[in-house]
Amino acid sequence: DQQVKQNSPSLSVQEGRISILNCDYTNSMFDYFLWYKKYPAEGPTFLISISSIKDKNEDGRFTVFLNKSAKHLSLHIVPSQPGDSAVYFCAASGRGGGSNYKLTFGKGTLLTVNP
Amino acid sequence: DVKVTQSSRYLVKRTGEKVFLECVQDMDHENMFWYRQDPGLGLRLIYFSYDVKMKEKGDIPEGYSVSREKKERFSLILESASTNQTSMYLCASSSPGGGYGYTFGSGTRLTVV
């Protein structure tokens, strides 16, 4: 079963507007959440993360919000730029050692920012 | 910066061949991972290792094996390549803290014909 879900395969926004990418999870043992960005023919790169003890983390144009009760997180990009066009993966990990360090990824959302 | 290097960007192999994908990281990370990325399926974990000579199966280990003889190197082996193993393969490494995320390599696009 899919423990991390990104229900929107794609999203298209105008340059300068807000992009909101959503992610839901089912495993209550997840306590750290990350967003990765991937361009074609490249490996994913880390974008921003949030711990379960917080509900918001901000880094420049990127903000991640976490709603633990709803098991939902979102990535806001404001303002969106054409260079933000990429696939965005949501990921989650549990606490503890060994295999709990592995990340579980969603299927990704393709963001297209139109000039 | 952590660098994760995958030995090949593009590979074309024949059905039934044994295929080795190599990954090397230069930051003394304990954890290393192999994923494959397919359209509509996202990133799926094949195998991972959190110490030398240690390995654990991920979500889709069938048809694959791994080797970690040295801390910096994690190899993915396709024992007998099949066309359904045509994919983008991504290697990653991370520190033991877990929550600090992964650093990925650039990927290997493998085509099995």
Side-chain angles (χ1 to χ4, degrees), chain A residues 45-98:
Chain A
T45 55
F46 170 74
L47 191 58
I48 192 169
S49 63
I50 188 166
S51 163
S52 60
I53 63 173
K54 294 187 173 183
D55 55 14
K56 177 182 174 181
N57 189 27
E58 199 169 349
D59 184 2
R61 295 186 297 114
F62 303 92
T63 303
V64 56
F65 295 92
L66 175 63
N67 182 334
K68 281 188 67 179
S69 60
K71 293 190 176 68
H72 176 83
L73 63 153
S74 60
L75 174 68
H76 292 211
I77 306 174
V78 182
S80 301
Q81 299 173 354
D84 295 330
S85 298
V87 176
Y88 289 79
F89 290 101
C90 172
S93 73
R95 58 178 70 91

XYZ file of all heavy atoms in Angstrom, chain A residues 45-98:
403
model
N 17.163 16.555 -5.901
C 17.926 17.387 -4.970
C 17.014 17.819 -3.824
O 15.841 18.127 -4.031
C 18.524 18.628 -5.657
O 17.470 19.347 -6.304
C 19.558 18.236 -6.685
N 17.594 17.840 -2.636
C 16.847 18.209 -1.440
C 16.409 19.668 -1.519
O 17.182 20.549 -1.901
C 17.730 17.990 -0.208
C 17.163 18.554 1.055
C 16.101 17.932 1.674
C 17.692 19.712 1.608
C 15.573 18.456 2.837
C 17.169 20.246 2.764
C 16.102 19.618 3.394
N 15.160 19.914 -1.133
C 14.616 21.266 -1.193
C 14.368 21.835 0.195
O 14.912 22.864 0.571
C 13.316 21.232 -1.995
C 12.677 22.534 -2.417
C 13.639 23.363 -3.256
C 11.395 22.260 -3.194
N 13.543 21.156 0.983
C 13.173 21.660 2.294
C 12.616 20.507 3.106
O 12.129 19.529 2.544
C 12.134 22.816 2.170
C 11.957 23.565 3.492
C 10.795 22.298 1.636
C 11.158 24.865 3.349
N 12.717 20.609 4.434
C 12.215 19.538 5.284
C 11.489 20.122 6.483
O 11.567 21.331 6.768
C 13.373 18.653 5.759
O 14.278 19.400 6.560
N 10.789 19.244 7.203
C 10.101 19.661 8.420
C 10.022 18.483 9.377
O 9.760 17.347 8.963
C 8.695 20.228 8.104
C 8.075 20.852 9.366
C 7.774 19.163 7.505
C 6.864 21.716 9.064
N 10.264 18.764 10.633
C 10.129 17.762 11.675
C 8.700 17.758 12.188
O 7.999 18.770 12.117
C 11.090 18.100 12.817
O 10.739 17.410 13.982
N 8.295 16.634 12.743
C 6.912 16.518 13.211
C 6.611 17.406 14.418
O 5.445 17.585 14.782
C 6.595 15.061 13.552
O 7.459 14.599 14.562
N 7.646 17.966 15.035
C 7.391 18.853 16.180
C 7.049 20.271 15.731
O 6.714 21.122 16.541
C 8.585 18.879 17.153
C 9.831 19.456 16.470
C 8.852 17.494 17.711
C 10.996 19.662 17.439
N 7.148 20.514 14.427
C 6.826 21.833 13.886
C 5.616 21.734 12.980
O 5.247 20.647 12.520
C 7.998 22.378 13.080
C 9.237 22.682 13.916
C 10.272 23.371 13.054
C 11.455 23.832 13.889
N 12.444 24.564 13.081
N 4.998 22.880 12.703
C 3.922 22.877 11.717
C 4.248 23.739 10.496
O 3.468 23.770 9.544
C 2.595 23.320 12.341
C 2.690 24.678 13.016
O 3.678 25.396 12.776
O 1.776 25.015 13.777
N 5.397 24.385 10.540
C 5.774 25.238 9.405
C 7.287 25.389 9.366
O 7.935 25.515 10.407
C 5.120 26.611 9.562
C 5.471 27.632 8.485
C 4.794 28.967 8.783
C 5.223 30.054 7.823
N 4.586 31.354 8.140
N 7.826 25.374 8.141
C 9.239 25.672 7.957
C 9.387 26.461 6.665
O 8.802 26.095 5.646
C 10.083 24.398 7.903
C 11.565 24.699 7.921
O 11.996 25.720 8.454
N 12.365 23.807 7.356
N 10.167 27.517 6.743
C 10.268 28.439 5.616
C 11.722 28.588 5.181
O 12.634 28.666 6.007
C 9.735 29.800 6.068
C 9.350 30.753 4.977
C 8.591 31.952 5.534
O 8.201 31.915 6.715
O 8.403 32.915 4.803
N 11.936 28.641 3.864
C 13.277 28.862 3.326
C 13.136 29.640 2.027
O 12.874 29.062 0.971
C 13.985 27.528 3.082
C 15.420 27.707 2.605
O 15.891 28.865 2.492
O 16.093 26.694 2.341
N 13.274 30.952 2.154
C 13.141 31.794 0.959
C 11.746 31.726 0.377
O 10.756 31.974 1.065
N 11.662 31.346 -0.877
C 10.358 31.278 -1.549
C 9.574 30.005 -1.208
O 8.419 29.866 -1.623
C 10.571 31.330 -3.066
C 11.163 32.639 -3.570
C 11.213 32.672 -5.095
N 12.069 31.639 -5.659
C 11.617 30.619 -6.400
N 10.333 30.490 -6.653
N 12.471 29.739 -6.898
N 10.203 29.099 -0.487
C 9.605 27.788 -0.215
C 9.177 27.674 1.248
O 9.948 27.981 2.153
C 10.618 26.675 -0.540
C 11.107 26.713 -1.958
C 12.257 27.410 -2.296
C 10.408 26.055 -2.958
C 12.704 27.456 -3.608
C 10.858 26.095 -4.273
C 12.004 26.797 -4.603
N 7.937 27.235 1.444
C 7.413 27.004 2.788
C 6.727 25.650 2.804
O 5.946 25.344 1.895
C 6.402 28.088 3.197
O 7.025 29.378 3.108
C 5.918 27.869 4.622
N 7.021 24.860 3.829
C 6.332 23.585 3.992
C 5.465 23.682 5.245
O 5.899 24.185 6.279
C 7.320 22.401 4.061
C 8.343 22.572 5.160
C 6.578 21.090 4.210
N 4.228 23.228 5.113
C 3.272 23.199 6.208
C 2.950 21.747 6.540
O 2.761 20.929 5.640
C 1.975 23.920 5.812
C 2.137 25.390 5.560
C 2.399 25.849 4.269
C 2.033 26.311 6.591
C 2.553 27.212 4.021
C 2.178 27.672 6.345
C 2.440 28.118 5.056
N 2.862 21.442 7.828
C 2.533 20.090 8.265
C 1.311 20.122 9.171
O 1.274 20.871 10.151
C 3.718 19.476 9.016
C 3.491 18.095 9.636
C 3.196 17.057 8.550
C 4.707 17.674 10.466
N 0.325 19.317 8.832
C -0.867 19.142 9.660
C -0.877 17.678 10.106
O -1.312 16.795 9.381
C -2.125 19.483 8.853
C -3.392 19.360 9.679
O -3.456 18.606 10.649
N -4.407 20.096 9.295
N -0.360 17.428 11.324
C -0.214 16.058 11.787
C -1.544 15.356 11.983
O -1.668 14.159 11.709
C 0.594 16.025 13.088
C 2.076 16.159 12.900
C 2.802 15.929 14.190
C 2.682 14.491 14.654
N 3.432 14.256 15.923
N -2.528 16.090 12.475
C -3.815 15.438 12.729
C -4.450 14.958 11.432
O -5.124 13.928 11.405
C -4.756 16.390 13.464
O -4.987 17.549 12.695
N -4.222 15.685 10.367
C -4.766 15.301 9.062
C -3.787 14.443 8.270
O -4.127 13.989 7.167
C -5.127 16.546 8.255
N -2.585 14.249 8.795
C -1.521 13.525 8.074
C -1.345 14.120 6.676
O -1.372 13.406 5.650
C -1.815 12.035 8.002
C -1.772 11.319 9.352
C -1.827 9.806 9.163
C -1.679 9.070 10.476
N -2.833 9.268 11.371
N -1.147 15.406 6.651
C -1.070 16.136 5.392
C 0.036 17.177 5.464
O 0.211 17.847 6.481
C -2.407 16.838 5.119
C -2.402 17.688 3.892
N -2.618 17.175 2.632
C -2.194 19.020 3.724
C -2.548 18.147 1.747
N -2.295 19.282 2.387
N 0.791 17.270 4.377
C 1.736 18.379 4.271
C 1.640 19.002 2.894
O 1.131 18.370 1.950
C 3.167 17.954 4.587
C 3.904 16.939 3.737
C 5.397 17.175 3.833
C 3.601 15.536 4.244
N 2.081 20.249 2.842
C 2.021 20.961 1.570
C 3.277 21.805 1.400
O 3.885 22.242 2.376
C 0.764 21.828 1.469
O 0.743 22.785 2.494
N 3.633 22.003 0.158
C 4.768 22.854 -0.210
C 4.218 24.053 -0.969
O 3.504 23.874 -1.965
C 5.749 22.086 -1.080
C 6.914 22.891 -1.659
C 7.866 23.328 -0.552
C 7.663 22.081 -2.714
N 4.543 25.257 -0.473
C 4.130 26.482 -1.133
C 5.353 27.140 -1.756
O 6.391 27.286 -1.082
C 3.477 27.449 -0.132
C 2.168 26.964 0.393
N 1.149 27.820 0.754
C 1.683 25.713 0.608
C 0.105 27.119 1.171
N 0.402 25.842 1.093
N 5.217 27.549 -2.999
C 6.296 28.255 -3.687
C 5.742 29.618 -4.101
O 4.789 29.698 -4.880
C 6.778 27.487 -4.934
C 7.151 26.052 -4.570
C 7.975 28.199 -5.557
C 7.498 25.177 -5.781
N 6.323 30.676 -3.524
C 5.830 32.024 -3.810
C 7.012 32.989 -3.935
O 7.794 33.082 -2.991
C 4.905 32.535 -2.688
C 4.360 33.927 -3.039
C 3.773 31.582 -2.421
N 7.150 33.731 -5.038
C 6.395 33.559 -6.275
C 7.002 32.444 -7.120
O 8.208 32.191 -7.058
C 6.596 34.922 -6.959
C 7.962 35.357 -6.501
C 8.108 34.835 -5.087
N 6.190 31.808 -7.911
C 6.683 30.731 -8.777
C 7.481 31.319 -9.936
O 7.141 32.387 -10.469
C 5.507 29.917 -9.319
O 4.763 29.368 -8.254
N 8.536 30.589 -10.321
C 9.375 31.019 -11.429
C 9.490 29.889 -12.452
O 9.388 28.708 -12.082
C 10.775 31.375 -10.920
C 10.792 32.510 -9.906
C 12.158 32.733 -9.292
O 13.089 31.973 -9.521
N 12.281 33.796 -8.495
N 9.729 30.202 -13.709
C 9.847 29.138 -14.725
C 10.901 28.093 -14.362
O 10.728 26.916 -14.665
C 10.222 29.917 -15.995
C 9.587 31.253 -15.798
C 9.723 31.544 -14.323
N 11.976 28.498 -13.699
C 13.009 27.551 -13.286
C 12.558 26.573 -12.220
O 13.255 25.597 -11.934
N 11.382 26.815 -11.643
C 10.832 25.876 -10.657
C 10.165 24.685 -11.335
O 9.775 23.727 -10.668
C 9.785 26.583 -9.774
C 10.387 27.687 -8.917
O 11.580 27.586 -8.544
O 9.659 28.669 -8.641
N 10.006 24.740 -12.629
C 9.372 23.643 -13.364
C 10.211 22.382 -13.214
O 11.372 22.333 -13.628
C 9.221 24.003 -14.844
O 8.376 25.134 -15.002
N 9.627 21.370 -12.602
C 10.342 20.129 -12.277
C 9.332 19.152 -11.678
O 8.171 19.511 -11.458
C 11.466 20.390 -11.264
N 9.786 17.948 -11.392
C 8.976 16.999 -10.621
C 9.339 17.170 -9.150
O 10.527 17.212 -8.796
C 9.221 15.549 -11.064
C 8.434 14.583 -10.175
C 8.834 15.373 -12.523
N 8.332 17.268 -8.298
C 8.531 17.427 -6.856
C 8.064 16.159 -6.150
O 6.932 15.706 -6.330
C 7.757 18.649 -6.337
C 8.374 19.939 -6.792
C 8.158 20.407 -8.087
C 9.193 20.680 -5.950
C 8.747 21.580 -8.529
C 9.779 21.861 -6.376
C 9.557 22.297 -7.666
O 10.145 23.456 -8.112
N 8.974 15.607 -5.351
C 8.671 14.401 -4.590
C 8.555 14.747 -3.112
O 9.429 15.413 -2.543
C 9.772 13.353 -4.764
C 9.832 12.733 -6.128
C 10.770 13.145 -7.057
C 8.954 11.716 -6.469
C 10.832 12.563 -8.313
C 9.011 11.131 -7.724
C 9.949 11.560 -8.644
N 7.514 14.257 -2.511
C 7.345 14.303 -1.068
C 7.943 13.012 -0.505
O 7.827 11.951 -1.128
C 5.850 14.384 -0.770
S 5.381 14.238 0.948
N 8.593 13.089 0.669
C 9.198 11.906 1.268
C 9.040 11.964 2.779
O 8.923 13.048 3.367
C 10.678 11.808 0.898
N 9.056 10.796 3.405
C 8.888 10.728 4.856
C 9.777 9.647 5.432
O 10.071 8.643 4.771
C 7.430 10.437 5.201
N 10.212 9.853 6.690
C 10.988 8.825 7.379
C 10.526 8.732 8.832
O 9.912 9.658 9.364
C 12.483 9.131 7.330
O 12.821 10.201 8.179
N 10.851 7.575 9.437
C 10.499 7.373 10.837
C 11.670 7.675 11.738
O 12.751 8.012 11.288
N 11.483 7.536 13.013
C 12.557 7.767 13.978
C 13.230 6.440 14.297
O 12.771 5.389 13.927
C 12.020 8.410 15.251
C 10.950 7.620 15.962
C 10.510 8.327 17.234
N 9.761 9.530 16.984
C 8.431 9.579 16.864
N 7.741 8.469 16.962
N 7.826 10.715 16.655
N 14.374 6.532 14.938
C 15.080 5.311 15.301
C 16.175 4.984 14.316
O 16.410 5.706 13.368
N 16.854 3.884 14.544
C 18.002 3.540 13.719
C 17.685 2.520 12.656
O 16.530 2.175 12.430
N 18.738 2.063 12.013
C 18.608 1.016 11.012
C 17.659 1.375 9.897
O 17.754 2.438 9.308
